Amino acid sequence: MRIVVLAGGIGGARFLRGLKAAAPDADITVIGNTGDDIHLFGLKVCPDLDTVMYTLGGGINEEQGWGRSDETFQVKGELAAYGVGPEWFGLGDRDFATHIVRTQMLSAGYPLSAVTEALCERWQPGVRLLPMSDDRIETHVAVETDGERKAVHFQEYWVRLRASVDALAVVPVGAEQAKPAPGVLEAIGAADVVLFPPSNPVVSVGTILAVPGIREAIAEAGVPVVGLSPIVGNAPVRGMADKVLAAVGVESSAAAVAEHYGSGLLDGWLVDTADADAVPRVEAAGIRGRAVPLMMTDIEATAAMAREALALAEEVRA
Amino acid sequence: MRIVVLAGGIGGARFLRGLKAAAPDADITVIGNTGDDIHLFGLKVCPDLDTVMYTLGGGINEEQGWGRSDETFQVKGELAAYGVGPEWFGLGDRDFATHIVRTQMLSAGYPLSAVTEALCERWQPGVRLLPMSDDRIETHVAVETDGERKAVHFQEYWVRLRASVDALAVVPVGAEQAKPAPGVLEAIGAADVVLFPPSNPVVSVGTILAVPGIREAIAEAGVPVVGLSPIVGNAPVRGMADKVLAAVGVESSAAAVAEHYGSGLLDGWLVDTADADAVPRVEAAGIRGRAVPLMMTDIEATAAMAREALALAEEVRA
């Protein structure tokens, strides 16, 4: 079975670990969000791609959900001693090496997709990891501070401001001119099922869908598209998705997120058992709904979620 | 007193520490060799500038003579795990930060001289450290391996090959088109004395002198130019200077190095007491010679060398 998964960072990566356990023989292609990529200290950092790569490759900091295990912070300390920031982005020494290799390859002319493939040679994530695009796309968030409206990089909004101010708009700058990375449309076209993990529907999955051609390819693939709600009990399971949902005028609820994706894209939607009463509203939107436990407490619980998603896909297909 | 010093790496840096102790009120400008600069992992590494900066700023690995104290090697280990080399160049995590800052500033358009000044803001070396040039100059060494002649980067010759094969030629690639960095000629023009520390006469001092205008400015400055022999008892005190001296047809002796600089450039030359019999030959070449202890065993011994150099300069001046 060929499965395509649109993945953001932590939520996507953890779901993928469960999916691999649930479908060990599946051929999984991951289309990774690159909208929160950022240049720091002259280096290209791809937080979501790396979180997927480290998580599936066994190098992740498990507690934190991002960054490397057994990490040290000598480089960061030295950069601070030079007065070079930002200090709010926590890059560790092991992590730095990844960005150094990536930046060197990009400077040598390799596209991000080729660089990601090269990095995955080491990590062997057991999936094919593709960036959504080789073109530069940067998610910016419009905020108002001291009565003035300005746009900040998503990472600044998320990590430095910790989403403490309202997001007025979320704009994937550069997306309109971007093309899907090589292999992305082909993978969607050849897929048996497409899954949206419980990733952020605006700044993760939404950004991937903003690359011209990807949404259309999924809608027209003629295969089941099933998602898992990142919202449980009207709040994000982790992160601050409610903040960016508000920016796009979507309430923070499992049903509203399904409606936001819409029946033109989504065929099935899993909500948590706590949100069982949302199922009728999901189905009223023309999307097959089901309530199952959606807490990724461990790999087995996550694998069960993946099995439910695949079962719902088969139900939709039949 | 304004002193200009032409410095390579370890020998130059250690001599400077002694000079600062010997002449605490002097205004010292260091013209640093950049011929052994190298791009590694997409980062610009300036070994000699950094050795001077770290040594005078208190951040040097004392035993090793180069690199940072309390160093760790996480980044290097990760790069190796990615299969990205070279592995023969030992960059530590703390050291990496310097190269990251430097590369970021260079990419932003700052010349190396401005970058060096910015890095020295942190290290406060107590001297004005100028790269010999803002232009890229790379010392290449011609070697013969397996019957084939080829040129390798100086660092590859020095660090990877450990000068184990003969150097057939030493070429500062790019020097002919290079200009002295801002402030270099002005510092020489305003100097009261110019010193050549016991640095490598070919790949350190020689490379600096290969930048058009520097040799001429020193020769025409009309102030005493005094050097200290890096060769003691027909062998380099440290390093492998004999290998590169052979490449330029100079025997490995204190007197021969003085003759190599020549009386058109050099006014005074200190040899070690072990080479006292070289003094007549030095003086026959039109250079005032003196035999004094030249072992930089500690700061006091090094300060004594600096005092001897300054005393010889005054003798020459009178």
Side-chain angles (χ1 to χ4, degrees):
Chain A
M1 182 166 53
R2 283 159 301 190
I3 307 174
V4 165
V5 182
L6 272 50
I10 303 176
R14 289 188 173 165
F15 174 75
L16 282 163
R17 198 153 53 176
L19 178 63
K20 279 175 63 183
D25 299 326
D27 171 351
I28 303 172
T29 297
V30 178
I31 302 174
N33 171 41
T34 57
D36 54 0
D37 291 3
I38 187 167
H39 280 82
L40 292 169
F41 315 109
L43 301 172
K44 171 85 161 181
V45 180
C46 300
D48 284 2
L49 294 181
D50 288 349
T51 294
V52 170
M53 193 170 75
Y54 294 160
T55 301
L56 300 185
I60 199 77
N61 178 324
E62 287 290 345
E63 271 170 64
Q64 195 169 252
W66 53 271
R68 294 290 313 280
S69 53
D70 302 317
E71 190 55 288
T72 54
F73 294 88
Q74 294 265 62
V75 176
K76 183 177 158 71
E78 289 294 313
L79 292 170
Y82 278 117
V84 172
E87 292 190 38
W88 48 263
F89 203 91
L91 292 181
D93 299 326
R94 290 181 187 274
D95 203 18
F96 257 110
T98 301
H99 313 315
I100 289 170
V101 173
R102 175 186 290 122
T103 305
Q104 187 181 14
M105 286 191 71
L106 289 170
S107 301
Y110 291 95
L112 183 60
S113 50
V115 174
T116 305
E117 191 179 345
L119 295 173
C120 285
E121 287 264 314
R122 170 185 175 193
W123 290 104
Q124 297 289 322
V127 301
R128 184 170 176 221
L129 177 60
L130 302 175
M132 64 191 196
S133 177
D134 280 336
D135 300 318
R136 183 166 169 176
I137 298 162
E138 258 184 22
T139 303
H140 286 198
V141 180
V143 296
E144 195 174 293
T145 51
D146 306 326
E148 208 160 334
R149 189 172 165 146
K150 62 170 185 170
V152 298
H153 189 286
F154 171 72
Q155 295 294 356
E156 189 174 350
Y157 181 73
W158 209 246
V159 181
R160 186 172 78 81
L161 299 173
R162 303 207 60 73
S164 58
V165 294
D166 287 344
L168 306 175
V170 177
V171 183
V173 178
E176 278 178 34
Q177 293 78 39
K179 287 193 295 290
V184 165
L185 298 183
E186 293 78 355
I188 296 169
D192 297 308
V193 58
V194 176
L195 300 180
F196 296 179
S199 286
N200 190 307
V202 182
V203 296
S204 295
V205 179
T207 307
I208 301 170
L209 294 171
V211 178
I214 294 185
R215 175 189 289 272
E216 297 75 5
I218 294 172
E220 294 161 13
V223 297
V225 179
V226 171
L228 299 92
S229 178
I231 306 287
V232 171
N234 300 326
V237 174
R238 60 167 296 131
M240 304 151 283
D242 48 332
K243 289 287 189 169
V244 287
L245 279 167
V248 296
V250 176
E251 66 173 45
S252 180
S253 79
V257 172
E259 291 168 349
H260 172 63
Y261 284 132
S263 64
L265 192 65
L266 212 56
D267 302 303
W269 187 244
L270 295 181
V271 303
D272 188 73
T273 45
D275 297 315
D277 57 356
V279 170
R281 185 172 151 195
V282 170
E283 302 221 315
I287 298 162
R288 189 76 61 97
R290 180 153 311 164
V292 300
L294 287 191
M295 291 298 176
M296 298 192 282
T297 43
D298 56 33
I299 292 184
E300 187 34 52
T302 312
M305 288 165 55
R307 277 189 291 270
E308 292 287 359
L310 293 172
L312 185 57
E314 292 316 311
E315 191 182 312
V316 165
R317 194 193 313 276
Chain B
M1 182 166 51
R2 285 159 300 190
I3 307 175
V4 165
V5 181
L6 271 51
I10 304 176
R14 289 189 171 163
F15 175 74
L16 282 163
R17 196 153 55 177
L19 178 63
K20 278 175 64 184
D25 299 326
D27 172 351
I28 303 171
T29 298
V30 178
I31 302 174
N33 171 41
T34 59
D36 54 1
D37 291 4
I38 185 167
H39 281 82
L40 291 168
F41 315 110
L43 301 173
K44 171 85 162 180
V45 180
C46 300
D48 283 2
L49 294 180
D50 288 349
T51 295
V52 169
M53 193 170 74
Y54 294 160
T55 300
L56 300 186
I60 199 78
N61 179 324
E62 288 288 345
E63 269 170 66
Q64 197 169 249
W66 53 271
R68 293 290 312 280
S69 52
D70 302 318
E71 190 56 289
T72 54
F73 293 88
Q74 295 265 62
V75 176
K76 183 177 157 74
E78 289 295 313
L79 292 170
Y82 279 116
V84 172
E87 294 189 37
W88 49 263
F89 203 92
L91 291 181
D93 298 327
R94 291 181 186 273
D95 201 20
F96 257 111
T98 300
H99 314 314
I100 289 170
V101 173
R102 174 185 293 122
T103 305
Q104 187 181 13
M105 286 192 71
L106 289 171
S107 301
Y110 291 94
L112 183 60
S113 49
V115 174
T116 304
E117 190 179 345
L119 295 173
C120 284
E121 287 265 314
R122 171 186 176 195
W123 290 104
Q124 297 290 321
V127 301
R128 184 168 177 223
L129 178 60
L130 302 175
M132 63 191 197
S133 177
D134 279 337
D135 301 317
R136 182 165 168 178
I137 298 162
E138 257 185 23
T139 303
H140 286 198
V141 180
V143 295
E144 196 173 293
T145 50
D146 304 328
E148 207 160 335
R149 190 172 165 144
K150 63 172 183 169
V152 297
H153 189 287
F154 171 72
Q155 296 294 355
E156 190 173 349
Y157 181 72
W158 210 246
V159 180
R160 186 173 78 81
L161 298 174
R162 303 207 60 74
S164 58
V165 293
D166 287 342
L168 306 175
V170 178
V171 184
V173 178
E176 277 178 34
Q177 294 77 40
K179 286 193 295 290
V184 165
L185 298 184
E186 293 79 355
I188 296 169
D192 297 308
V193 57
V194 177
L195 299 180
F196 295 179
S199 286
N200 190 306
V202 181
V203 296
S204 295
V205 179
T207 306
I208 300 170
L209 294 172
V211 178
I214 293 185
R215 175 188 290 272
E216 296 74 7
I218 293 172
E220 293 161 13
V223 298
V225 180
V226 172
L228 299 92
S229 178
I231 305 288
V232 170
N234 299 326
V237 174
R238 58 168 296 130
M240 303 150 285
D242 48 331
K243 288 288 189 168
V244 286
L245 279 168
V248 295
V250 175
E251 66 174 42
S252 181
S253 78
V257 173
E259 290 168 349
H260 172 63
Y261 285 130
S263 62
L265 192 65
L266 211 57
D267 302 304
W269 187 244
L270 295 181
V271 302
D272 187 73
T273 44
D275 296 315
D277 57 355
V279 172
R281 184 172 151 195
V282 171
E283 302 220 316
I287 298 162
R288 189 77 60 99
R290 180 156 312 167
V292 299
L294 287 190
M295 290 298 175
M296 298 191 283
T297 44
D298 56 33
I299 293 186
E300 186 36 49
T302 312
M305 287 164 56
R307 276 190 292 269
E308 292 285 0
L310 294 173
L312 185 57
E314 291 316 311
E315 191 182 312
V316 165
R317 195 193 311 276

